[in-house]
Amino acid sequence: EGRAGQMRDALDAHPGVDTWTLQQVGSIPATLDAEHSFLRERARLTDLDGVRAILEILENHTDRTDELLAAGLPTMILHGDADDAWPIEWQRDWARRLGARYEVIADAGHLPNLDQPERTAELLNSFWEGAGRTAL
């Protein structure tokens, strides 16, 4: 059982408890810095049925790359160099199969928008600017 299964089990064992609190394993600090305050609040406001749906996708992933390719949409695969949620080799392969722009953000994990927000924004802006030109 992987991380997704462990989180599902924790949600089952502690109904109504948000994911941030579950991940703290009894070590919630008395005061939180801005980042941890944001993460706690985001988790508190996240629908737990939605979390369960995401966990189901992670546990039972169906590769739909060919369907996305057939849609003909501009695509970019972007992840942190230390992403631990989706295997990096999968992401690299998806980009190759899609003919997608492929970007890896240094010093970032699964959430590069939190770890490296400026670099993530630069890459997303660049992608959408280019996608807008090709769509015309």
Side-chain angles (χ1 to χ4, degrees):
E1 182 174 60
R3 285 183 43 211
Q6 291 170 352
M7 178 55 73
R8 185 195 61 247
D9 293 347
L11 289 169
D12 290 346
H14 305 283
V17 176
D18 66 82
T19 57
W20 184 88
T21 301
L22 290 174
Q23 291 173 343
Q24 299 312 304
V25 191
S27 63
I28 298 174
T31 58
L32 301 175
D33 60 22
E35 180 180 346
H36 283 95
S37 292
F38 166 76
L39 292 172
R40 181 179 65 179
E41 186 65 5
R42 184 181 70 172
R44 190 185 68 75
L45 296 172
T46 299
D47 179 75
L48 294 178
D49 288 336
V51 171
R52 288 178 182 283
I54 291 167
L55 296 172
E56 175 69 22
I57 290 168
L58 289 170
E59 287 185 299
N60 301 303
H61 169 68
T62 299
D63 185 345
R64 300 183 70 187
T65 306
D66 292 335
E67 293 172 55
L68 181 57
L69 180 61
L73 298 169
T75 53
M76 176 171 67
I77 305 293
L78 177 147
H79 63 82
D81 62 354
D83 189 341
D84 61 353
W86 290 100
I88 290 174
E89 59 273 9
W90 288 12
Q91 296 180 70
R92 190 178 308 114
D93 181 59
W94 294 332
R96 181 191 55 75
R97 290 170 50 205
L98 289 167
R101 180 172 166 182
Y102 179 63
E103 299 287 350
V104 179
I105 298 179
D107 302 318
H110 180 62
L111 300 172
N113 55 312
L114 294 179
D115 299 332
Q116 298 293 334
E118 290 178 6
R119 182 66 181 141
T120 302
E122 288 170 6
L123 290 169
L124 290 171
N125 284 335
S126 170
F127 171 73
W128 286 116
E129 286 173 359
R133 281 194 295 274
T134 59
L136 296 177

